[in-house]
């Protein structure tokens, strides 16, 4: 449903069905009252709503058909009167069999309206039923009765949002509560986060050197098409014609009572050595900030912060008045709002949100506050003390984005790969930023797991005592692309940084919690061309960070030869996948010649090959593939299970570039017979 379909103009007509809704007597007068619909609507998309009725239009604005239209055509929509608490937090699954009904009756929580599809799979009065109501209310919004000087027993009140002005007093209260109550989940960083740090002094509008103990805000925003850092500055003074978002962020920082503001385009030194130092410490810079101001509206820094910029008022809040009641919408949730933003699509903003302990998010509808413990929105006033006493939790954007939960051991392999996969769904203007825009997150993991995690050109490496470099690196080298990707210059083909495209995070070799057996011998080539074979080089963090690593690794391993051919006699082209076919690898016996293959290979077993590269008409690699040449495969993993006669191989297919080799794709196979007949001698590859 398009947003313009919702009528926001002042309509005073109330249809007969809506006129019967009674807000004087809450829904908690019986055991069945909480989960019985207040009103039955129709089927999606019209839902039987009267377009001339102001309450019908308000109900349409909070319909969960906004949230997911895939399965909302099978059942009618209904209106539920939901406990207000569920608009802010999701319930625990600990209670059941009417526990929630009894609890909300006892505390006499006020009821807010939520519209969703009527689904029979949720048993009435079960936690899953309340979870479904809470999901809709938090993501899409709900309607609450507006009582300006009254809060309910849980300290909730739906608030009016001014179009022209964000309530920064509310934001200061959120920050203050977090600073005093969330010492374990949102701790500060004592001292100076990183050397050579600079801030903007919001009073003098000068860029100044940071000093220990100074509180500062940070800004996360979309740079837009123009990225001119040369606009800085004479005598450390900011230019007079700052972009609107930058100007507004300075105003917000001052109103929050924070004198200093960190903005990348003005505060990162352009000296290459100092710049590299700060890019590798972005996790410390954003974490130490008092709060990160997130400009989630608009697509460039000229857009401004809605509700701060005089030129950028917020969208009108959905409201309706009838029968002596005044209803206000809480609006869509943070996750839903960000899904529609340009900010959410950018690679740099991914790590900025991931690394910040507190964020103040400006959207076109309202402002949101989130820390590592709670999430608040401008449209709901809450009593923090009362809210913390109920067994429920926040649906945090940070947790949805990061995939990483707390852990005491280095058993988060899948989660870290999922974080990388999420980042690779974002866009970058410059290929050269592929690693830089992720360095802060990778450095964060290295700090979290100093004895267990490193990265080499972005490739996650999970350290294990008594294991060789070959055993540690082999699983990571077998990562798989989700679809064909464009090759990035300047990055190694063996790392995800070398390809512009998403990766697949499935149940395969790279996700092993522990290294698999491997006979491959792998060395890391340093910038001075020396080779490091010892895992101790990675284990010693200080020694590891003192050396520059070249984009080459040396692999000595068993090899196979494969012939690659399309599984079909035709190819297709589309703009997203390029030229493609289902490529298959056919293993060649050591004593077979290429010329003899055409006649005898047709009946031989084929194995699926995942090709990395996005192929276009006339592309050299594509032509090579069609010529059915033979290719080397590096056997990175080989496992035999004698009990079930199972033989597994993880193979990296490569091509010779002259002086170095490049990754082409991967073959993973499991067969119930010995594949040793295809193995050739060991060979060393300089893989770049």
């Amino acid at each position: 449903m398009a947003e313009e379909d919702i009528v926001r103009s002042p309509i005073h007509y109330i249809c007969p069905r809506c006129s019967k809704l009674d807000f004087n007597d809450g829904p908690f007068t019986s055991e069945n009252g909480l989960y019985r619909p207040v009103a039955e609507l129709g089927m999606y998309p019209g839902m039987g709503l009267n377009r001339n009725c102001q309450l019908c239009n308000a109900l349409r604005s909070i319909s969960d058909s906004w949230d997911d239209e895939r399965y909302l055509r099978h059942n009618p929509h209904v209106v539920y009167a939901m406990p207000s608490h569920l608009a802010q937090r999701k319930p625990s699954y600990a209670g059941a069999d009417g526990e929630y009904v009894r609890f909300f009756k006892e505390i006499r929580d006020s009821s807010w309206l939520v519209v969703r599809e009527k689904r029979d799979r949720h048993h009435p009065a079960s936690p899953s039923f309340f979870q479904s109501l809470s999901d809709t209310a938090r993501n899409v919004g709900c309607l609450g009765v507006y009582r300006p000087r009254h809060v309910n027993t849980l300290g909730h009140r739906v608030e009016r949002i001014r179009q022209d002005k964000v309530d920064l007093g509310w934001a200061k209260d959120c920050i203050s509560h977090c600073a005093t109550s969330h010492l374990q989940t949102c701790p500060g960083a004592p001292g100076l986060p990183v050397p050579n740090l600079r801030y903007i002094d919001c009073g003098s509008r000068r860029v100044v050197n940071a000093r220990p103990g100074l509180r500062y805000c940070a800004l996360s925003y979309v740079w837009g098409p123009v990225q001119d850092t040369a606009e800085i500055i004479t005598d450390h003074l900011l230019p007079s014609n700052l972009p609107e978002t930058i100007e507004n962020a300075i105003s917000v920082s001052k109103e929050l009572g924070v004198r200093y503001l960190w903005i990348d385009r003005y505060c990162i030194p352009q000296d290459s050595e100092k710049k590299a130092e700060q890019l590798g410490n972005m996790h410390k810079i954003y974490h130490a900030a008092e709060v990160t101001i997130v400009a989630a509206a608009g697509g460039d820094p000229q857009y401004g912060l809605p509700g701060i910029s005089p030129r950028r008022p917020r969208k009108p809040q959905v409201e309706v008045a009838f029968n002596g009641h005044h209803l206000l919408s809480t609006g869509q949730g943070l996750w839903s709002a960000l899904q529609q933003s340009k900010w959410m699509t950018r690679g740099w903003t991914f790590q900025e949100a991931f690394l910040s302990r507190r964020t103040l998010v400006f959207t076109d509808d309202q402002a949101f506050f989130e820390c590592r413990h709670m999430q608040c929105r401008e449209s709901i006033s809450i009593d923090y003390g009362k809210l913390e006493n109920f067994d429920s939790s926040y649906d945090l954007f940070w947790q949805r984005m990061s995939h990483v939960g707390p852990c005491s051991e280095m058993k988060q392999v899948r989660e870290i790969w999922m974080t990388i996969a999420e980042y690779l769904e974002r866009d970058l203007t410059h290929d050269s930023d592929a690693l830089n825009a992720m360095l802060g997150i990778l450095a964060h993991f290295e700090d979290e797991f100093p004895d267990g995690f490193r990265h080499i050109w972005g490739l996650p490496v999970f350290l294990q005592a008594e294991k060789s470099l070959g055993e540690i690196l082999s699983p990571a080298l077998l990562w798989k692309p989700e679809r064909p990707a464009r090759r990035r210059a300047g990055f190694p083909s063996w790392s995800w940084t070398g390809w512009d495209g998403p990766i697949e995070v499935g149940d395969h070799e790279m996700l092993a919690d522990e290294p698999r057996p491997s006979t491959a011998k792998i060395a890391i080539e340093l910038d001075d061309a020396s080779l490091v074979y010892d895992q101790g080089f990675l284990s010693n963090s200080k020694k590891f960070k003192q050396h520059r690593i070249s984009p080459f690794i040396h692999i000595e391993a068993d090899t196979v030869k494969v012939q690659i051919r399309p599984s079909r006699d035709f190819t297709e082209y589309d703009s997203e996948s390029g030229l493609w076919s289902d490529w298959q690898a056919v293993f060649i016996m050591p004593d077979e010649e290429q010329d003899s293959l055409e006649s005898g290979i047709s009946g031989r077993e084929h194995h699926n090959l995942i090709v990395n590269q996005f192929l276009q008409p006339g592309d050299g690699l594509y032509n090579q593939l069609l010529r059915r040449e033979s290719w080397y495969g590096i056997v990175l993993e080989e496992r035999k299970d004698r009990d079930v006669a199972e033989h597994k191989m993880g193979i990296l297919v490569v091509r010779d570039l002259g002086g170095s080799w490049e990754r082409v794709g991967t073959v993973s196979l499991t067969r119930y017979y010995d594949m040793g007949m295809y193995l050739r001698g060991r060979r060393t590859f300089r893989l770049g």
Side-chain angles (χ1 to χ4, degrees), residues 158-179:
V158 63
E159 288 286 4
R160 177 185 288 279
I161 298 174
R162 287 180 54 179
Q163 284 184 258
D164 63 330
K165 182 65 175 175
V166 172
D167 182 3
L168 291 178
W170 157 83
K172 290 176 70 173
D173 290 343
C174 292
I175 296 170
S176 176
H177 176 72
C178 173

Side-chain angles (χ1 to χ4, degrees), residues 271-510:
D271 173 271
S272 59
E273 186 173 330
K274 293 178 180 178
K275 182 177 181 179
E277 178 184 52
Q278 294 207 9
L279 289 177
N281 283 287
M282 298 291 274
H283 58 306
K284 296 178 180 178
I285 295 173
Y286 279 98
H287 179 79
E290 189 75 5
V291 67
T292 297
I293 299 166
V294 175
D300 59 60
Q302 300 296 339
Y303 190 84
L305 298 179
I308 301 296
S309 170
R311 300 183 303 178
R312 194 63 62 184
R314 273 96 66 84
K315 296 176 182 176
Q317 187 176 15
V318 174
E319 58 181 297
V320 58
F322 77 107
N323 291 349
H325 298 293
H326 190 176
L327 301 183
L328 292 177
S329 171
T330 61
Q332 63 180 339
L334 177 58
W335 179 262
S336 299
L338 291 179
Q339 292 300 308
Q340 305 166 32
S341 70
K342 182 75 171 179
W343 179 89
M344 190 72 169
T345 68
R346 305 306 299 167
W348 282 99
T349 60
F350 178 78
Q351 76 167 0
E352 292 162 9
F354 182 100
L355 300 171
S356 299
R357 60 185 172 128
R358 301 188 190 111
T359 54
L360 179 60
V361 185
F362 292 81
T363 74
D364 280 317
D365 295 296
Q366 62 178 308
F368 298 85
F369 172 83
E370 181 173 292
C371 64
R372 297 302 173 97
H373 182 78
M374 72 174 188
Q375 184 187 105
C376 306
R377 66 180 73 184
E378 200 179 353
S379 60
I380 301 178
S381 174
I382 59 176
D383 183 310
Y384 301 108
K386 292 180 180 180
L387 194 61
E388 302 293 341
N389 294 328
F390 181 56
D391 182 19
S392 60
S393 60
Y394 293 93
D395 183 21
L396 298 179
F397 164 69
W398 174 83
Q399 290 179 336
R400 284 201 195 190
M401 182 184 66
S402 69
H403 305 287
V404 179
C407 65
S408 57
E409 299 181 5
M410 193 56 230
K411 299 294 183 182
Q412 299 289 347
V413 181
R414 178 181 295 275
E415 286 79 3
I416 290 175
W417 273 107
M418 287 177 68
T419 300
I420 293 172
E422 180 83 15
Y423 164 72
L424 290 174
E425 295 287 348
R426 305 291 190 99
D427 299 326
L428 292 169
T429 301
H430 303 291
D431 276 352
S432 57
D433 289 336
L435 182 56
N436 284 340
M438 188 66 178
L439 277 179
I441 292 177
L442 295 169
H444 162 77
F445 288 139
E446 288 184 340
D447 285 355
E448 286 289 304
F449 312 109
D451 299 323
F453 177 81
R454 300 286 184 272
H455 79 89
I456 304 174
W457 284 89
L459 191 74
V461 180
F462 303 96
L463 305 181
Q464 295 283 336
E466 308 303 325
K467 298 293 184 180
S468 68
L469 269 180
E471 291 174 299
I472 291 171
L473 287 174
S474 290
L477 291 170
L478 291 171
W479 62 270
K480 299 175 182 177
E482 186 177 278
R483 58 177 181 264
R486 181 178 56 82
R487 183 75 170 93
R488 277 198 183 109
F491 295 93
S493 68
W494 45 265
S495 169
W496 56 264
T497 57
W499 304 91
D500 180 15
I503 61 172
E504 174 188 312
V505 182
D507 186 19
H508 50 76
E509 288 78 0
M510 77 177 187

Side-chain angles (χ1 to χ4, degrees), residues 1 44-45 47 60 62-69 72 77 115 140:
M1 184 185 306
Y44 176 85
M47 296 180 287
R60 183 182 290 110
I62 61 167
S63 165
D64 64 357
S65 59
W66 286 72
D67 191 39
D68 191 342
E69 298 186 3
L72 298 173
H77 277 63
V115 178
V140 187

Side-chain angles (χ1 to χ4, degrees), residues 644-647 670-675:
V644 293
E646 186 178 76
H647 195 173
T670 299
R671 288 296 175 265
Y672 295 96
Y673 56 83
D674 192 344
M675 298 285 292

